């Protein structure tokens, strides 16, 4: 059994590295609510469209990254409304650092798995 301890320790360490990506995954759902309901919203990150939620309320799965997401919503008879959904760290991010150690934290940080977006998002549309 003693000869297997280093192998078991290495396997355990490898499994714990990238803790946030293992526990929560590298994507999340962003739910969008508008007032009034029934708008169409486009989500864009770094100039690249991620998808559309139409009609609202609705949900879109997005990959977590360090980059913010711009949400633009339109509905006939209303002005376009925009919302910047900032990428940030969850309150419990310190737990991933403690459990995963420097290698796990480095992996999660490099992939953006240790970030998250606000969800649900509520956007008010103004009449024209």
């Amino acid at each position: 059994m003693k000869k297997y301890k280093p192998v078991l320790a290495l396997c355990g360490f490898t499994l714990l590295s990238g803790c946030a990506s293992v526990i929560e995954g590298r994507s999340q759902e962003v739910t969008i609510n508008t007032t009034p309901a029934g708008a169409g919203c486009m989500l864009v990150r770094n100039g690249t469209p991620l998808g559309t939620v139409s009609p609202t309320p609705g949900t879109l799965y997005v990959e977590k990254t360090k980059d913010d997401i711009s949400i633009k919503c339109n509905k006939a008879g209303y002005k376009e409304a925009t919302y910047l959904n900032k990428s940030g760290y969850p309150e419990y991010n310190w737990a991933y650092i403690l459990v995963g150690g420097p290698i796990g934290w480095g992996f999660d940080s490099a992939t953006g798995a240790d970030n998250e977006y606000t969800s649900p998002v509520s956007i008010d549309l103004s009449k024209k």
Side-chain angles (χ1 to χ4, degrees):
M1 182 68 179
K2 286 186 179 182
K3 66 180 181 179
Y4 295 113
K5 283 185 180 181
V7 173
L8 292 174
L10 182 61
C11 288
F13 184 72
T14 302
L15 289 174
L16 288 177
S17 67
C19 196
S21 58
V22 170
I23 293 173
E24 291 191 3
R26 294 181 56 195
S27 62
Q28 78 169 83
E29 60 179 39
V30 175
T31 300
I32 301 172
N33 299 305
T34 59
T35 304
C41 299
M42 171 72 78
L43 286 76
V44 177
R45 181 172 45 214
N46 292 332
T48 303
L50 301 176
T52 303
V53 173
S54 183
T56 57
T59 300
L60 183 70
Y61 277 91
V62 297
E63 183 177 344
K64 297 180 197 176
T65 72
K66 295 180 181 303
D67 301 311
D68 300 338
I69 295 174
S70 175
I71 303 171
K72 295 181 182 180
C73 299
N74 292 290
K75 183 173 179 164
Y78 292 85
K79 296 178 188 173
E80 179 178 84
T82 61
Y83 178 87
L84 186 62
N85 198 340
K86 294 187 176 265
S87 178
Y89 295 109
E91 293 176 13
Y92 48 83
N93 196 42
W94 59 269
Y96 295 141
I97 296 170
L98 287 177
V99 174
I103 293 175
W105 174 77
F107 178 80
D108 289 339
S109 184
T111 62
D114 60 345
N115 289 59
E116 71 177 4
Y117 296 100
T118 300
S119 184
V121 172
S122 296
I123 301 171
D124 292 326
L125 301 172
S126 302
K127 287 195 175 210
K128 286 185 178 181

